[in-house]
Amino acid sequence: YSFCTLLKREREEKMSYRGSDGTLPILPKEAFEGRSETVTDAVLTRYSCRNFNNDREVDGKMLREILIKAARAASGGNLQPWKVHVLQGAARKTFCTTVRKQIGKQTPAYDIYPKKLPDPYFTRRGRLGEEMFELMGIARHQKAKRLMAVARNFSFFDAPVGLIITIPKLMGPPQWADLGFYLATLNLLCREAGLHTCNQEAWSTVAPAVQETLNIPDTDTVFCGVAVGYAKQNAPVNQLRAARADPEEYIITAKL
């Protein structure tokens, strides 16, 4: 199921499957299953998967090819500042078990969000959280259940593959952008292969334990983890589709 198929369906049925802004299609559920046929398909079907099928392994050779292809992402001066630590099988289980013991006892590598987050960013973040917990059937007053749901980050949401992404501390904003390009490319290549992902900055909150367990030098920053695997398509939390801002909020036509 592809974006091209959707356009054909629109023409045949003479109805729109697009969002309120008229540009992004509202894809039917089957579009999120299987492989993405085009870059557009990959972009529109990528979401943060928070419940994986842990009975279905990811082929190691395919994963390695994806990681290598992703390195073709744009990189200023060709510095390629990213490092990817791959965890599968017994290594992933041991890593998660070890690091989970240190939750709440560590100094985060960085602040994931600014301490005083203004609107519209504060509202966007809060709305997304409420939508996620609502899908999971967890009310606002159920603090313990919410904490347990968040703690699933530290099992890579049961994904068979966990990646830890690091960058040398000496790098600056341009190289952090390069790292973002690598991650974006990685996510889209995973969709092409029929995989889903979740980028997890939560791992930065236990950075010292991550570094000690994986022998990552102090000269590197633990930026995030990435859960990789096959999605449990019917899991309620995997129905979450984060809304995007009106294009007029971020597309600015220069008038000189």
Side-chain angles (χ1 to χ4, degrees):
Y1 206 101
S2 69
F3 181 53
C4 295
T5 303
L6 187 69
L7 293 178
K8 181 180 179 182
R9 187 169 166 182
E10 278 191 326
R11 289 193 297 270
E12 292 175 347
E13 299 180 10
K14 296 182 179 180
M15 64 183 294
S16 177
Y17 288 88
R18 296 168 184 258
S20 58
D21 61 11
T23 57
L24 297 178
I26 303 173
L27 296 176
K29 185 177 180 180
E30 57 264 34
F32 296 86
E33 301 173 359
R35 297 170 178 266
S36 293
E37 297 178 10
T38 67
V39 175
T40 298
D41 291 335
V43 170
L44 296 178
T45 61
R46 186 215 64 79
Y47 65 90
S48 295
C49 180
R50 295 182 175 88
N51 197 326
F52 289 86
N53 183 351
N54 60 2
D55 293 326
R56 189 176 178 186
E57 294 295 327
V58 174
D59 179 74
K61 181 179 179 181
M62 178 177 70
L63 176 64
R64 183 174 176 80
E65 288 177 353
I66 289 172
L67 297 176
I68 293 172
K69 287 181 190 175
R72 295 305 307 172
S75 178
N78 202 31
L79 267 62
Q80 305 168 70
W82 49 78
K83 293 178 185 174
V84 184
H85 304 261
V86 182
L87 294 155
Q88 288 182 277
R92 187 197 69 83
K93 292 179 181 179
T94 299
F95 172 78
C96 292
T97 300
T98 301
V99 174
R100 274 200 301 266
K101 296 176 182 177
Q102 301 301 318
I103 295 175
K105 305 176 184 178
Q106 304 277 290
T107 300
Y110 56 86
D111 292 328
I112 295 178
Y113 303 103
K115 294 186 184 301
K116 294 183 178 180
L117 193 64
D119 272 330
Y121 315 110
F122 180 82
T123 298
R124 290 173 185 168
R125 181 191 175 197
R127 182 182 297 126
L128 179 67
E130 288 306 316
E131 289 174 352
M132 181 183 74
F133 287 123
E134 183 178 352
L135 282 169
M136 299 174 73
I138 302 176
R140 182 185 290 270
H141 70 275
Q142 295 176 301
K143 303 296 185 183
K145 286 188 176 181
R146 289 195 170 198
L147 288 173
M148 288 176 63
V150 172
R152 294 193 69 247
N153 270 285
F154 303 104
S155 63
F156 291 105
F157 296 111
D158 293 334
V161 175
L163 308 176
I164 295 295
I165 312 296
T166 66
I167 184 172
K169 288 181 178 178
L170 61 86
M171 298 298 177
Q175 290 76 49
W176 280 83
D178 291 348
L179 179 58
F181 299 153
Y182 180 87
L183 282 167
T185 306
L186 169 65
N187 278 253
L188 299 184
L189 287 169
C190 282
R191 287 301 304 121
E192 180 188 43
L195 300 167
H196 278 282
T197 56
C198 186
N199 303 307
Q200 305 170 272
E201 291 164 336
W203 288 102
S204 70
T205 65
V206 287
V210 170
Q211 290 183 268
E212 181 180 358
T213 306
L214 296 181
N215 294 315
I216 297 171
D218 291 338
T219 52
D220 285 1
T221 295
V222 174
F223 174 56
C224 71
V226 184
V228 181
Y230 295 94
K232 280 188 177 179
Q233 297 291 350
N234 294 324
V237 72
N238 285 344
Q239 311 314 306
L240 178 64
R241 302 290 179 262
R244 289 297 186 256
D246 188 297
E248 298 306 313
E249 293 186 39
Y250 58 85
I251 300 176
I252 303 169
T253 302
K255 298 179 181 179
L256 303 178

